[in-house]
Amino acid sequence: MVELPDGERVPALGQGTWRMGENKNAHADEVAALRLGIDLGMTLIDTAEMYGEGGAEKVVADAITDLRDRVFVVTKAYPYNASRTELPKACERSLKRLRIDAVDLYLLHWRGDVPLAETVEAFEHLRSAGKIRRWGVSNFDLADMEELLDIEDASACAANQVLYNLENREIEFDLLPLLQTPNLKSASGRIRRGEHQTLPIPIMAYSPVGHGRGLLNNATLKQIAKHHDTTAAQIALAWVLRQPGVIAIPKAADQHHVRQNARSVEIELPKSKEPLPML
């Protein structure tokens, strides 16, 4: 489990929905895969208004029917919807597609032209109105996070969703150390965590097993997988999960891959910084 800054605990292994909701013929299989994942303990589901232009949110809605109390729903807003006037409208559209009363975690998908301070203000208004329970960001690098932390009310930021896997480890050099520090400081040196929010800001790792088959065809990774009597994807996922304060959100559109992902939490890898030094 990973603890959010407000004390809420969520599974370290969740489910992603990128490319879901694009094919009506795949809808039933996608819903079944998500529901199986929930049954296997992957009760955090990440989606976005961009995915299938709302189609993925509709898949999630069908998947969590009669399971809402068990599921932690994350969705994301387009940057051009991040203003004080447009964000409430985008949120309402997502709530309608998801068929829920409130989003558990609402993220800015990536930075756009809307000033961050205005987006934070809009997030806080939605939180006060009960439309969202928490807010966060996505695809923010070190400079983005330092700028964010210098904004009033930014202490409420609950997560940063970024690319992180064995092939893409750049965040380990700057962003990850910053976000894993309690009482985070902005670039100006001011502490920007709230009095009752001294926990680090978690990272949500998307594409935790890489893009395409490049990483999974790595000979060394396959060798390690063979040693553990498992698959390369499970080793790659277990490697991400070994990091404290990191939530992995792999996407699996069929039940076989869902079961494989779920079993990755059982794999124990060394907790040193270089558990797979040959990669």
Side-chain angles (χ1 to χ4, degrees), residues 116-182:
L116 277 180
E118 181 176 340
T119 301
V120 170
E121 177 189 337
F123 273 139
E124 284 297 297
H125 283 161
L126 286 171
R127 193 159 69 108
S128 297
K131 298 295 184 178
I132 65 175
R133 296 191 172 97
R134 298 159 198 86
W135 61 265
V137 294
S138 179
N139 295 300
F140 270 40
D141 61 17
L142 179 64
D144 294 328
M145 285 304 302
E146 288 183 331
E147 183 179 342
L148 174 66
L149 293 171
D150 226 11
I151 296 172
E152 201 68 36
D153 292 326
S155 63
C157 180
N160 183 13
Q161 185 178 126
V162 297
L163 176 66
Y164 185 46
N165 55 52
L166 270 167
E167 286 184 311
N168 299 272
R169 301 175 59 179
E170 296 83 359
I171 68 168
E172 293 177 358
F173 298 101
D174 49 26
L175 185 62
L176 194 56
L178 172 75
L179 298 187
Q180 289 181 338
T181 303

Side-chain angles (χ1 to χ4, degrees), residues 76 114 136 157 185 254:
K76 300 181 285 291
V114 179
C157 180
K185 292 185 179 181
D254 66 74

Side-chain angles (χ1 to χ4, degrees), residues 25-41:
N25 293 329
H27 183 90
D29 289 339
E30 292 168 348
V31 169
L34 290 175
R35 287 183 71 89
L36 174 61
I38 294 169
D39 288 341
L40 294 174

Side-chain angles (χ1 to χ4, degrees), residues 200-246:
I201 296 176
I203 285 286
M204 295 184 68
Y206 67 80
S207 300
V209 297
H211 294 291
R213 299 290 304 181
L215 174 60
L216 302 185
N217 287 330
N218 182 280
T220 302
L221 189 61
K222 287 183 176 180
Q223 182 181 357
I224 296 169
K226 184 177 181 180
H227 174 74
H228 285 269
D229 192 26
T230 185
T231 68
Q234 287 172 306
I235 293 296
L237 194 50
W239 180 85
V240 171
L241 291 171
R242 98 202 192 289
Q243 283 273 18
V246 174

Side-chain angles (χ1 to χ4, degrees), residues 32-69:
L34 290 175
R35 287 183 71 89
L36 174 61
I38 294 169
D39 288 341
L40 294 174
M42 295 181 286
T43 55
L44 182 150
I45 299 179
D46 173 79
T47 188
E49 65 172 336
M50 184 188 81
Y51 299 168
E53 290 301 320
E57 291 180 324
K58 293 179 181 178
V59 171
V60 173
D62 286 345
I64 67 174
T65 298
D66 70 27
L67 299 174
R68 178 64 182 104
D69 291 343

